[in-house]
Amino acid sequence: MNILLAAINAKYIHSNLAVYSLRAYARKFIQETEIEEYTINQPIDEIFMDIYTHRPDILCFSCYLWNISYVEQLIREIPKVLPDTKIWLGGPEVSYNAGEMLEKYPGLTGIICGEGEETFLELMDYYHSGIELAAVRKDTDCCESMVTDLSEIRGIVYRNSDGSIMETQLRPVLNLSRVPFAYEHVEDFRNRIIYYESSRGCPFSCSYCLSSIDKCLRFRDLELVKQELQFFIDHEVPQVKFVDRTFNCRHDHAMAVWKYIKDHDKGMTNFHFEIAADLLNEEEIALIRSMRPGLIQLEIGIQSANSETISEIKRRMDLRKVECTVAEIRKNRNVHQHLDLIAGLPYEDYDSFAKSFDRVYAMRPDQLQLGFLKVLKGALMHEKTQEYGLVYQDRPPYEVLSTKWLPYADVIRLKKIEEMVEVYYNSGQFGNTMEHAEKEFSGAFAMYSALADYYERNDLFRISHSRIARYEILLHFLEEHMGVYPDNSEDRRQPAAKSAENRHQSAVESAADRMAEYTAWLTLDLYLRDNVRNRPSFLPENKISSDEAAVFYKMEEEERRYLKNYAGYDRRQMRKMTHLERIFGRMILFDYRERDPLSGDAKVYEIKERTVENEFSR
């Protein structure tokens, strides 16, 4: 029997925990079970042809929002070339409309609903017994719990021999500790993110989320978890993402895991957790703040700062506690914090969302995700469609188009602001400039809104800009906002002249001084990330001369005042691996071998220029 578990991931770097868990649980069929992981970036025909080359007797797809369109195309075509292959689906995207899927796709055999491990094992027992695949020899050593009819398998919807669609009883939840470890062959996951779960279920009932349906919260045995974490640490896996819906909902469990990875850390592996920040207590915060920078990162779903919205979506959250906790963790600059907002929730209009944005932005997360409501089948939000005036896409990911409170025109505006946040905040490439530019506006949301308007006016959307171009655009945006333009641009001087007619000259000069500061902040941001060899035209003229740089690196080769970790490198090599720049009148050295583990910024030294000048004047 040839079994193929197929996963279509969003990116190559992702892996699919579900298919590996299925194979691990049905380990007695492991020799007959293959896994193939594809991505949504591959041509559909390429996936189709590869599946055909496997010629599976049983083909199972893991279905999610990001891949269901691809799966649907494939299950239309595969029965044409593999008519005897039994096609099964599983996953959150098909568990709540299984009957509809079977009616829509005649070549589909059945769907596993909910947790799949035990169900998949029983299905393989059933097929292996020879009831459906008569040509396969019975192997009693592999079939100690023989299943002789699909109706005996709980948790499935399937097509009967007469074409009717049958549904069996739901399966009781699984003891999570019974699921074998899925990553024994860790070499298969080189350069990829590994997903791991130490619990299933969620204690909350957020109406937009499918996780709220599984109210049976279960935890994997801690001794097993520790063994498996040690495996990741020993094999120096770059990143492990916990898929636990609210990792810290049980204090003793969270403390045990966090303490273990801190005590056994080898400086290589990063662990990602989704948490409820307001549930963290002082002991947990103290432990988190004591960790190596970059050991863990935290994703915190805030979704809205509108109290009416939070109540309506049945979310329990103390926002003031969240703010205090995020601030406490941020003090040590050792943990990447990712905060989430959702546009399109009930009672949240454009102005309300702007307030939510400003309040969350004020927490200064390392990343702020501005997402849009997905109206998921099976979630309570789906049932409230009429009440909320929800209009959403019929195609995955079923994203909101409008609500009673938020017209589509405002959704479009928010989409453009989202792009600006991704480029100018989440990229981490403009941190100093954006922090200071915010002072020119009534708030962060107003700044990103104005920036989006600037892009729109100048037809800058839908263009693949270089990184240097993004800096230039930001500089011109600030110039326009303050009415100050470069002297070498005749076209851009005219608005400045008009502005000068209506403003006092000192105000114009003040704005020009501020623009000089912003150019300096842009210069700092630029070189913090990369040693840009071709100097952009917008940078100030007061760069370090070649002779000054030569003197500095000669001194550094002899004395190692700053670049202490460059033993064995001569002055020419050091000059290639670092950068000198004059910013705010000070000589700054950027060291690209030493970077901040959170931001990726180069280490910065302020050079005492008098020493360099003395050496230069000899």
Coordinates of all heavy atoms in Angstrom, one line a residue, residues 506-550:
S506 N 11.7 82.5 10.2 CA 12.3 81.7 11.2 C 11.7 80.3 11.3 O 12.4 79.3 11.5 CB 12.2 82.3 12.6 OG 10.8 82.5 13.0
A507 N 10.4 80.2 11.0 CA 9.7 78.9 11.0 C 10.2 78.1 9.8 O 10.4 76.9 10.0 CB 8.2 79.1 10.8
V508 N 10.5 78.7 8.7 CA 11.0 78.0 7.5 C 12.4 77.5 7.8 O 12.8 76.4 7.5 CB 11.1 78.9 6.3 CG1 11.8 78.2 5.1 CG2 9.6 79.3 5.9
E509 N 13.2 78.4 8.5 CA 14.6 77.9 8.8 C 14.6 76.8 9.8 O 15.4 75.9 9.8 CB 15.4 79.1 9.4 CG 15.6 80.2 8.3 CD 16.2 81.5 8.9 OE1 16.4 81.5 10.1 OE2 16.6 82.4 8.1
S510 N 13.6 76.9 10.8 CA 13.5 75.8 11.7 C 13.1 74.5 11.1 O 13.7 73.4 11.4 CB 12.4 76.2 12.8 OG 12.2 75.1 13.6
A511 N 12.2 74.5 10.1 CA 11.9 73.3 9.4 C 13.1 72.8 8.6 O 13.3 71.6 8.5 CB 10.7 73.6 8.4
A512 N 13.9 73.7 8.0 CA 15.0 73.3 7.3 C 16.0 72.6 8.2 O 16.7 71.6 7.9 CB 15.7 74.4 6.6
D513 N 16.2 73.1 9.4 CA 17.1 72.5 10.4 C 16.6 71.1 10.8 O 17.4 70.2 10.9 CB 17.2 73.4 11.7 CG 17.9 74.7 11.4 OD1 18.7 74.7 10.4 OD2 17.7 75.6 12.2
R514 N 15.3 71.0 10.9 CA 14.7 69.7 11.3 C 15.0 68.7 10.1 O 15.2 67.5 10.4 CB 13.2 69.8 11.6 CG 12.9 70.6 12.9 CD 11.6 70.2 13.5 NE 10.5 70.2 12.7 CZ 9.8 71.3 12.3 NH1 10.2 72.5 12.7 NH2 8.8 71.2 11.5
M515 N 14.9 69.1 8.9 CA 15.1 68.3 7.8 C 16.6 67.8 7.8 O 16.9 66.6 7.4 CB 14.8 68.9 6.5 CG 13.3 68.9 6.1 SD 12.6 67.3 6.2 CE 13.6 66.3 5.3
A516 N 17.5 68.7 8.2 CA 18.9 68.3 8.3 C 19.0 67.1 9.3 O 19.8 66.2 9.1 CB 19.8 69.4 8.6
E517 N 18.3 67.2 10.4 CA 18.3 66.2 11.4 C 17.7 64.9 10.8 O 18.3 63.8 11.1 CB 17.4 66.6 12.6 CG 18.1 67.7 13.5 CD 17.2 68.0 14.7 OE1 16.4 67.1 15.1 OE2 17.4 69.1 15.3
Y518 N 16.6 65.0 10.1 CA 16.1 63.8 9.5 C 17.0 63.1 8.5 O 17.1 61.9 8.4 CB 14.7 64.0 8.9 CG 13.6 64.3 9.9 CD1 12.9 65.5 9.9 CD2 13.4 63.3 10.9 CE1 11.9 65.7 10.9 CE2 12.4 63.5 11.8 CZ 11.7 64.7 11.8 OH 10.7 64.9 12.8
T519 N 17.8 63.9 7.8 CA 18.7 63.3 6.9 C 19.8 62.6 7.7 O 20.3 61.5 7.3 CB 19.4 64.4 6.0 OG1 18.4 65.2 5.3 CG2 20.4 63.8 5.0
A520 N 20.2 63.1 8.8 CA 21.1 62.4 9.7 C 20.6 61.1 10.2 O 21.2 60.1 10.3 CB 21.6 63.4 10.8
W521 N 19.3 61.2 10.6 CA 18.7 59.9 11.2 C 18.6 58.9 10.0 O 18.8 57.7 10.3 CB 17.3 60.2 11.7 CG 17.2 61.0 13.0 CD1 16.6 62.2 13.2 CD2 17.9 60.6 14.2 NE1 16.8 62.6 14.5 CE2 17.6 61.6 15.2 CE3 18.6 59.5 14.6 CZ2 18.1 61.6 16.5 CZ3 19.1 59.5 15.9 CH2 18.8 60.5 16.9
L522 N 18.2 59.3 8.8 CA 18.2 58.4 7.7 C 19.6 57.8 7.4 O 19.7 56.6 7.1 CB 17.7 59.1 6.4 CG 16.2 59.2 6.3 CD1 15.8 60.2 5.2 CD2 15.5 57.9 6.1
T523 N 20.6 58.6 7.5 CA 21.9 58.1 7.3 C 22.3 57.0 8.4 O 22.8 56.0 8.1 CB 23.0 59.3 7.4 OG1 22.6 60.3 6.5 CG2 24.4 58.8 7.1
L524 N 21.9 57.3 9.6 CA 22.2 56.3 10.7 C 21.4 55.0 10.4 O 22.0 54.0 10.5 CB 21.7 56.9 12.0 CG 21.8 56.0 13.3 CD1 23.3 55.6 13.5 CD2 21.3 56.7 14.5
D525 N 20.1 55.2 10.1 CA 19.3 53.9 9.8 C 19.9 53.1 8.6 O 19.9 51.9 8.7 CB 17.9 54.3 9.5 CG 17.1 54.7 10.7 OD1 17.4 54.2 11.8 OD2 16.1 55.5 10.6
L526 N 20.4 53.9 7.6 CA 20.9 53.2 6.4 C 22.1 52.3 6.8 O 22.2 51.1 6.4 CB 21.3 54.2 5.4 CG 21.9 53.7 4.1 CD1 20.9 52.8 3.3 CD2 22.4 54.8 3.2
Y527 N 23.1 52.9 7.5 CA 24.3 52.2 7.8 C 24.2 51.3 8.9 O 25.1 50.4 9.1 CB 25.5 53.2 8.0 CG 25.9 53.8 6.6 CD1 25.7 55.1 6.3 CD2 26.6 53.0 5.7 CE1 26.1 55.6 5.1 CE2 27.0 53.5 4.5 CZ 26.8 54.8 4.2 OH 27.2 55.3 3.0
L528 N 23.2 51.4 9.8 CA 23.0 50.4 10.8 C 22.8 49.0 10.2 O 23.1 48.0 10.8 CB 21.8 50.8 11.7 CG 22.1 51.8 12.8 CD1 20.8 52.2 13.5 CD2 23.0 51.2 13.9
R529 N 22.1 48.9 9.1 CA 21.8 47.7 8.5 C 22.9 47.2 7.5 O 23.2 46.0 7.5 CB 20.5 47.8 7.8 CG 19.3 47.7 8.7 CD 19.3 46.4 9.5 NE 18.2 46.3 10.4 CZ 17.0 45.7 10.1 NH1 16.9 45.2 8.9 NH2 16.1 45.6 11.0
D530 N 23.4 48.0 6.7 CA 24.3 47.6 5.6 C 25.4 48.6 5.4 O 25.3 49.8 5.5 CB 23.5 47.4 4.3 CG 22.6 46.2 4.4 OD1 23.0 45.1 4.7 OD2 21.4 46.4 4.2
N531 N 26.6 48.0 5.0 CA 27.7 48.8 4.6 C 27.5 49.2 3.1 O 28.0 48.5 2.2 CB 29.0 48.1 4.8 CG 30.2 49.0 4.6 OD1 30.1 50.1 4.3 ND2 31.4 48.4 4.9
V532 N 26.7 50.2 2.8 CA 26.4 50.6 1.5 C 27.6 51.2 0.8 O 28.1 52.2 1.2 CB 25.2 51.6 1.5 CG1 24.8 52.0 0.0 CG2 24.0 51.0 2.2
R533 N 28.0 50.5 -0.3 CA 29.3 50.9 -1.0 C 29.0 52.1 -1.9 O 29.9 53.0 -2.0 CB 29.8 49.8 -1.8 CG 30.4 48.6 -0.9 CD 31.4 49.1 0.1 NE 31.9 48.0 1.0 CZ 32.7 48.2 2.0 NH1 33.2 49.4 2.2 NH2 33.1 47.2 2.7
N534 N 27.9 52.1 -2.6 CA 27.6 53.2 -3.5 C 26.8 54.3 -2.7 O 25.6 54.1 -2.4 CB 26.8 52.8 -4.7 CG 27.6 51.8 -5.6 OD1 28.8 52.0 -5.8 ND2 27.0 50.8 -6.1
R535 N 27.5 55.3 -2.3 CA 26.9 56.3 -1.4 C 25.7 57.0 -2.1 O 25.8 57.6 -3.1 CB 27.9 57.4 -1.0 CG 27.5 58.3 0.1 CD 28.6 59.3 0.4 NE 28.2 60.2 1.4 CZ 28.2 60.0 2.7 NH1 28.6 58.8 3.1 NH2 27.8 60.9 3.6
P536 N 24.5 56.9 -1.4 CA 23.2 57.5 -2.0 C 23.4 59.0 -2.1 O 24.0 59.6 -1.3 CB 22.1 57.1 -1.0 CG 22.7 55.9 -0.3 CD 24.1 56.1 -0.2
S537 N 22.7 59.6 -3.1 CA 22.9 61.0 -3.3 C 22.2 61.9 -2.2 O 22.6 63.0 -2.1 CB 22.3 61.4 -4.7 OG 20.9 61.0 -4.7
F538 N 21.3 61.3 -1.5 CA 20.6 62.1 -0.5 C 21.4 62.3 0.8 O 21.0 63.1 1.6 CB 19.2 61.5 -0.2 CG 19.3 60.2 0.6 CD1 19.4 60.2 2.0 CD2 19.1 59.0 -0.1 CE1 19.5 59.0 2.7 CE2 19.1 57.8 0.6 CZ 19.3 57.8 2.0
L539 N 22.5 61.6 0.9 CA 23.3 61.7 2.2 C 24.0 63.0 2.2 O 24.4 63.6 1.2 CB 24.3 60.5 2.3 CG 23.6 59.1 2.4 CD1 24.7 58.1 2.7 CD2 22.6 59.1 3.6
P540 N 24.3 63.5 3.4 CA 25.0 64.8 3.5 C 26.4 64.7 3.0 O 27.0 63.6 2.9 CB 25.0 65.1 5.0 CG 24.8 63.7 5.7 CD 23.9 63.0 4.7
E541 N 27.0 65.9 2.7 CA 28.3 65.9 2.0 C 29.5 65.7 3.0 O 30.6 65.4 2.6 CB 28.5 67.3 1.4 CG 27.6 67.6 0.2 CD 27.8 66.6 -1.0 OE1 29.0 66.2 -1.2 OE2 26.8 66.1 -1.6
N542 N 29.2 65.9 4.3 CA 30.3 65.8 5.3 C 30.7 64.4 5.6 O 30.7 64.0 6.8 CB 29.9 66.6 6.5 CG 28.7 66.0 7.2 OD1 27.9 65.4 6.6 ND2 28.6 66.2 8.5
K543 N 31.0 63.6 4.6 CA 31.4 62.2 4.8 C 32.9 62.2 5.3 O 33.6 63.2 5.1 CB 31.2 61.4 3.6 CG 32.1 61.8 2.4 CD 31.9 60.9 1.2 CE 32.8 61.2 0.1 NZ 32.7 60.3 -1.1
I544 N 33.3 61.1 5.8 CA 34.6 60.9 6.3 C 35.5 60.8 5.0 O 35.2 60.0 4.1 CB 34.8 59.6 7.1 CG1 33.8 59.6 8.3 CG2 36.2 59.4 7.6 CD1 34.1 60.6 9.3
S545 N 36.6 61.6 5.0 CA 37.5 61.5 3.8 C 38.3 60.2 3.8 O 38.4 59.6 4.8 CB 38.4 62.7 3.8 OG 39.4 62.5 4.8
S546 N 38.8 59.9 2.6 CA 39.6 58.7 2.5 C 40.8 58.7 3.4 O 41.2 57.7 4.0 CB 39.9 58.5 1.0 OG 40.7 57.3 0.9
D547 N 41.4 59.9 3.5 CA 42.6 60.1 4.3 C 42.3 59.9 5.8 O 43.1 59.2 6.5 CB 43.2 61.4 4.0 CG 43.9 61.5 2.7 OD1 44.2 60.5 2.1 OD2 44.1 62.7 2.2
E548 N 41.2 60.5 6.2 CA 40.8 60.3 7.6 C 40.5 58.8 8.0 O 41.0 58.3 9.0 CB 39.5 61.1 7.9 CG 39.6 62.6 8.0 CD 38.3 63.2 8.3 OE1 37.4 63.2 7.3 OE2 38.1 63.8 9.4
A549 N 39.8 58.1 7.0 CA 39.6 56.7 7.3 C 40.9 55.9 7.3 O 41.0 55.0 8.1 CB 38.7 56.2 6.2
A550 N 41.8 56.3 6.4 CA 43.1 55.5 6.4 C 43.8 55.7 7.7 O 44.4 54.7 8.2 CB 43.9 56.1 5.2

